[in-house]
């Protein structure tokens, strides 16, 4: 059972927009920044969004992040087949004194 | 170009030990905190441990506290994870990852570079 809660899977058609949620508590998302990682099949994770809504250099602006209270969201617009991957949210947890992840969300582009 | 190359994985019996290494290049290694993150087969990511750039501060997940030890040799640009009293549930791909923020382990800091991982299998 992961500390942060994500939907196990989402799917959407090409060129559409999808949102992936990440729910936590006051000890993690409510008090600390959220980072998002993309893991393509068989590959290492890659930083996608950091400090809630910042885009690393080289990451497409089709990806965006937001946070409100104890929940965060990752939005992907203009879906492409190459976006099929697992997506993970992560944050520091003040109670556990460590970094925690969501269980991951598998995105399928129909 | 930043590169992180893990090694040292393999098959080990329950109760055994293993030491993982992560050779870093392309950045000033001593200026950045580093972490280990693992992923059990078919499962999600789990943070394992973090260490400051100087090596003076270390952090562990409860699941490995007292069994695993993170360390670094800045003269060799290498990060280590000594794993003792291994259990079946420690079976995973272990990734080393570079903190973006700098020398101190900043709680909210993201990992901006990851290695390709090394597989550890704990089985009799």
């Amino acid at each position: 059972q992961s500390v942060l809660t994500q939907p196990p899977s989402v799917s959407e058609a090409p060129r559409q927009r999808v949102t992936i949620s990440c729910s936590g508590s006051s000890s993690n998302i409510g008090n600390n920044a959220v980072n998002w990682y993309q893991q393509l099949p068989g590959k290492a994770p890659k930083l996608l969004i950091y400090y809630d809504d910042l885009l690393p250099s080289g990451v497409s602006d089709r990806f965006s992040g937001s946070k409100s209270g104890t929940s965060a969201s990752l939005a992907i617009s203009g879906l492409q087949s190459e976006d099929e991957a697992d997506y993970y949210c992560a944050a520091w947890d003040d109670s556990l004194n460590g970094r925690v992840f969501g269980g991951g969300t598998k995105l399928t582009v129909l | 170009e930043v590169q992180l190359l893990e090694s040292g994985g393999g098959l080990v019996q329950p109760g055994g030990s293993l030491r993982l290494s992560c050779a870093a290049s392309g950045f000033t290694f001593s200026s950045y905190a580093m972490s280990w993150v693992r992923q059990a087969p078919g499962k999600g990511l789990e943070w394992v441990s973090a260490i400051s750039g100087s090596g003076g501060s270390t952090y562990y997940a409860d699941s490995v506290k007292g069994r695993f030890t993170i360390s670094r040799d800045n003269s060799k640009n290498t990060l280590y994870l000594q794993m003792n009293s291994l259990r079946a549930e420690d079976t995973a791909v272990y990734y080393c990852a570079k903190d973006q923020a700098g020398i101190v382990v900043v709680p909210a800091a993201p990992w901006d570079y990851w290695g390709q991982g090394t597989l550890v299998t704990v089985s009799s």
Side-chain angles (χ1 to χ4, degrees), chain A residues 35 37 39 44 51 88 99 101, chain B residues 35 39 95 99 106-108 111 115:
Chain A
N35 304 310
Y37 300 91
Q39 188 176 33
Y51 293 150
Y88 294 89
R99 289 167 172 168
F101 282 97
Chain B
S35 290
Q39 186 170 35
Y95 296 101
D99 274 27
V106 174
W111 297 293

Side-chain angles (χ1 to χ4, degrees), chain B residues 34-54:
Chain B
M34 299 289 294
S35 290
W36 288 98
V37 177
R38 68 183 180 183
Q39 186 170 35
K43 302 296 184 182
L45 300 170
E46 179 189 16
W47 171 74
V48 173
S49 183
I51 187 169
S52 63
S54 67

Side-chain angles (χ1 to χ4, degrees), chain B residues 19 27 46 71 93 103 108 114:
Chain B
R19 188 176 83 155
F27 65 102
E46 179 189 16
S71 63
V93 173
I103 196 168
W114 297 63

Side-chain angles (χ1 to χ4, degrees), chain A residues 14-78:
Chain A
R15 297 179 298 281
Q16 300 304 305
R17 183 177 185 271
V18 70
T19 300
I20 298 172
S21 62
C22 176
S23 178
S25 68
S26 58
S27 66
N28 41 66
I29 293 178
N31 199 40
N32 295 288
V34 176
N35 304 310
W36 289 90
Y37 300 91
Q38 176 194 58
Q39 188 176 33
L40 296 170
K43 299 294 186 182
K46 168 191 169 184
L47 180 62
L48 201 61
I49 296 288
Y50 67 104
Y51 293 150
D52 299 337
D53 57 9
L54 299 182
L55 210 62
S57 174
V59 172
S60 170
D61 59 5
R62 297 187 298 105
F63 296 92
S64 62
S66 63
K67 188 176 82 172
S68 177
T70 59
S71 292
S73 292
L74 170 71
I76 311 171
S77 60

Side-chain angles (χ1 to χ4, degrees), chain B residues 46-69:
Chain B
E46 179 189 16
W47 171 74
V48 173
S49 183
I51 187 169
S52 63
S54 67
S57 298
T58 58
Y59 305 81
Y60 298 93
D62 287 344
S63 58
V64 306
K65 202 170 293 182
R67 300 188 299 123
F68 289 12
T69 302

